[in-house]
Amino acid sequence: MSIYLHDIPLSQAQARLREALQDADLWRVLGTESIPLDENALGRVTAEPIWAKVSSPHYHASAMDGFAVRAVSTNDAMPSTPVRLWLGPEAQYVDTGDPLPEWANAVIPIENVESLDENDQITKDIRTPKSIRIRASVAPWSHVRPLGEDIVATQLVLPAGHILKPVDLGAIAASGHQEIKVSRKPKVAILPTGTELVPIGSDLKAGDILEYNSLVLAAQVKAMGGEPTRYPITKDDFDLICQHVQEAAQDHDLVLLNAGSSAGAEDFSSKVVEKLGTLLVHGVAVRPGHPVILGLLNRKSNEEIVSPRRHGDASSPPLVAPRNDMIPIVGVPGYPVSAALTIDIFVEPLIAKWLGRRPKELPTETAILTRKLVSPAGDDDFVRVVVGRVGEKLLAAPLSRGAGVITSLVQADGLALIPSGTQGIEAGEKIQVRLYRSRSDNILHRLA
Amino acid sequence: MSIYLHDIPLSQAQARLREALQDADLWRVLGTESIPLDENALGRVTAEPIWAKVSSPHYHASAMDGFAVRAVSTNDAMPSTPVRLWLGPEAQYVDTGDPLPEWANAVIPIENVESLDENDQITKDIRTPKSIRIRASVAPWSHVRPLGEDIVATQLVLPAGHILKPVDLGAIAASGHQEIKVSRKPKVAILPTGTELVPIGSDLKAGDILEYNSLVLAAQVKAMGGEPTRYPITKDDFDLICQHVQEAAQDHDLVLLNAGSSAGAEDFSSKVVEKLGTLLVHGVAVRPGHPVILGLLNRKSNEEIVSPRRHGDASSPPLVAPRNDMIPIVGVPGYPVSAALTIDIFVEPLIAKWLGRRPKELPTETAILTRKLVSPAGDDDFVRVVVGRVGEKLLAAPLSRGAGVITSLVQADGLALIPSGTQGIEAGEKIQVRLYRSRSDNILHRLA
């Protein structure tokens, strides 16, 4: 029986997981799907580069309401020597967005034109005159949006791995698409375990612990672009936990087992992983959150998922999608702050890789620490801080370091890292802070 | 017939809309609803302060696996003079999270204890010994999470107007809630109009314009926390547009009418607003996007929405919710860049107010302009820029200023404002840039 965990450095733990996933061919985009180009595509990640199928505009378009003309025919127009152009052969009324006639190469805005009737008098039918009189020349392509001004057919509109914003959807539509290929959302099973746990909203007696880690983890996974499934609480029963983990492994890409990741009497997670697969890491030198477990699970069988035959094509072979026979499992520590940070540290980069996007990087600023912090030399220690600007200085004030104090994460503006190798930082020294909130959300509003 | 718009300054246009909404009692949180506390609450806005119903922990909890003791009984323990405590009256085994017995006020971690059997020999049954031997004293409340360490019943957990993050959901659950009152999502109708418009994915002939503004607008509204409804394209027919606007007004909080907001022959929007309500603003001195229309619509009747009677309580009066008889309408310009900026400028603050959250403020940085920009002195001119750091300098390079070039918004890192009163800015001068992307997304990655 091992009471003590053998913590390994964070970078080594991350590398061990990555290598195991590479060996299992799981360190890549998990899969792709075509979805309709509508507002639900927001936040999805492009699975391939998007090339323009059409140009935008796809013809020479008037940029104003006015008259399409040949620029050369306006060359002599001056305030004192106006030029007259006849409707039909020399000028044609166009609304904004209308295509220019083949012979035209410029537009004169309607407010720069005198519209004349059959008696050469100025007419109120400004859009359907017999002729127009102009008192200034126009350059070729004036007030014209030339074909391809915005997008030229075949050009790259967006690269693969791009997180879709509202305007991106417009650009994709403008380039002739009505569907879009995106990476599929990783399916993440979240299994809370613990005999002492009770569901949110329960009446509490001494020893009952409200189970809300699964809620936070699910929300984190959702915010990262994954698809979480929350399982009911499993009591501390080794066989029951094994059974539920194996069930979850069948139709998910990742299992988060919370908690039981430490080394106590009822901490079954490492044994569960050893029984159902391979234990890669048990214990990481990071605070809070060090009793993390990383492993791979074997799925029950190497069965393959057989897609239904194409309709009306019964003779063709069934479409077979190869199915991975392993999936990763993370044993997530029980304390809520440890749990949330474990997801940020180990699960975010994994979901990023599976979606094909860049991992999230928090903006980092240098701040002055307001009071001394001590820290075990061997650990990467993440300290929650409140940040505020005083004069030219950015100050970072440490919050509670208790791993059970979730309100400290609610209040935190960012995380200050005391790197391993450092035993502490004095008040007044500089510290790097990863900011949860952008500068405007945070500091500017605090000053307002 | 007015060809020219009478543009008013941006601040004046915003004030006019705000005052009209205040008069109509629409400048406030629109309504609230109770939702279950699950991961779908992410991003919703609290409608009232959240007070803790229970403490967390709600009892003195062990913070370690070990033995609960009275601290005073350990006072004499030294390496050379150990103290023995008898299980039952003096020591009790506790797992992490277990409640302390009433008489205990400290926990000794199991790794700091020698567990002894009935013969005073060290036993492997470390959790169920007859007695324990300790060689160091413990201070009162060592390794104990005292009642209320995280949350004290009745304390404020979150204020009203807070956008819910993953950890917030945990703190709300920990404080004893299983439902949460949030502001309801504003319902926004988006009506594309224009005889020349064709739906996304259509085969194009000259003069056809792909209608994708409604897609971008819907995605913007969704990202802001609203609930968009996209209507089919309405052709340029005054009566038809009036009919569809009035229909949309019945069950939405805001109508976005796109386009027809300029002053051309087929620009019906201002006349539609005048017929169905009150035209507040037609034309704002902002580029791109100046032909904006702001107005109020009268709903067809002042009918009230009658909620169904409560089940099994047929004698109680029906629950009547008062219904506003006016809703705002925004005539959104047709060019895609103008349309998107109009939503950011006029609709975002409105949705923020209706949700009870702060309006979104982009982080602002000072950058050096890479080439000269000219601008009409009377307008607030928003120029899309790409931003990059070269040495110590942040450089801002202007992108296409064409209002039809949506790819410029796709590429933009931010918007540089040339304020009204300024006719231009020279290359090398400083300019304020509102950054769309955080510094890590943007500049740091560009250097990597």
Side-chain angles (χ1 to χ4, degrees), chain A residues 338-409:
Chain A
S338 307
L341 289 180
T342 295
I343 302 307
D344 282 341
I345 292 172
F346 293 101
V347 176
E348 209 286 332
L350 184 54
I351 289 182
K353 188 74 197 178
W354 283 348
L355 287 171
R357 62 165 171 79
R358 284 198 311 229
K360 183 168 175 156
E361 249 185 62
L362 295 176
T364 300
E365 301 249 7
T366 303
I368 309 287
L369 195 62
T370 58
R371 62 177 174 77
K372 178 177 176 168
L373 284 174
V374 290
S375 171
D379 290 353
D380 281 321
D381 197 352
F382 292 96
V383 179
R384 289 141 270 167
V385 294
V386 171
V387 170
R389 198 174 287 281
V390 176
E392 287 296 288
K393 283 183 189 162
L394 196 64
L395 300 183
L399 288 161
S400 164
R401 296 170 76 179
V405 183
I406 193 164
T407 49
S408 65
L409 269 183

Side-chain angles (χ1 to χ4, degrees), chain B residues 236-257:
Chain B
D236 289 317
D237 174 319
F238 179 75
D239 293 329
L240 214 50
I241 296 173
C242 285
Q243 184 194 323
H244 292 168
V245 166
Q246 204 150 45
E247 279 168 18
Q250 297 311 303
D251 46 11
H252 290 86
D253 302 301
L254 169 66
V255 173
L256 304 180
L257 185 59

Side-chain angles (χ1 to χ4, degrees), chain A residues 4 40 58-59 63 65 111 127 145 150 177 200 205 207-208 222 264-265 335 358 361 404 406-407 440-441, chain B residues 4 40 58-59 63 65 111 127 145 150 177 200 205 207-208 222 264-265 335 358 361 404 406-407 440-441:
Chain A
Y4 306 102
N40 297 313
H58 58 99
Y59 53 86
D65 294 351
E111 56 266 36
R127 289 173 185 83
R145 297 185 60 216
D150 191 2
H177 299 270
I200 287 172
K205 56 183 200 305
D208 287 348
K222 192 178 178 215
Y335 277 125
R358 284 198 311 229
E361 249 185 62
I406 193 164
T407 49
S440 72
D441 279 355
Chain B
Y4 307 102
N40 297 314
H58 58 99
Y59 53 87
D65 294 352
E111 55 267 33
R127 289 174 185 83
R145 296 185 61 216
D150 190 3
H177 298 270
I200 288 171
K205 56 183 201 306
D208 287 348
K222 192 177 178 214
Y335 277 124
R358 285 197 310 229
E361 247 185 65
I406 193 165
T407 50
S440 72
D441 278 357

Side-chain angles (χ1 to χ4, degrees), chain A residues 25 167 232 391 418:
Chain A
D25 190 26
V167 291
I418 308 178

Side-chain angles (χ1 to χ4, degrees), chain A residues 191 238-248 272 276 300:
Chain A
L191 278 74
F238 179 74
D239 293 330
L240 214 51
I241 296 173
C242 284
Q243 184 193 323
H244 292 168
V245 166
Q246 203 151 46
E247 279 168 19
V272 168
L276 301 179
K300 236 169 196 164

Side-chain angles (χ1 to χ4, degrees), chain B residues 37-90:
Chain B
L37 187 61
D38 62 29
E39 61 269 29
N40 297 314
L42 205 60
R44 300 298 295 267
V45 181
T46 52
E48 50 188 34
I50 295 168
W51 309 97
K53 286 162 66 173
V54 298
S55 297
S56 175
H58 58 99
Y59 53 87
H60 299 317
S62 176
M64 301 284 280
D65 294 352
F67 289 88
V69 298
R70 291 178 195 86
V72 67
S73 66
T74 71
N75 279 356
D76 300 330
M78 303 271 283
S80 54
T81 58
V83 163
R84 184 208 295 230
L85 300 174
W86 292 95
L87 264 283
E90 295 179 316

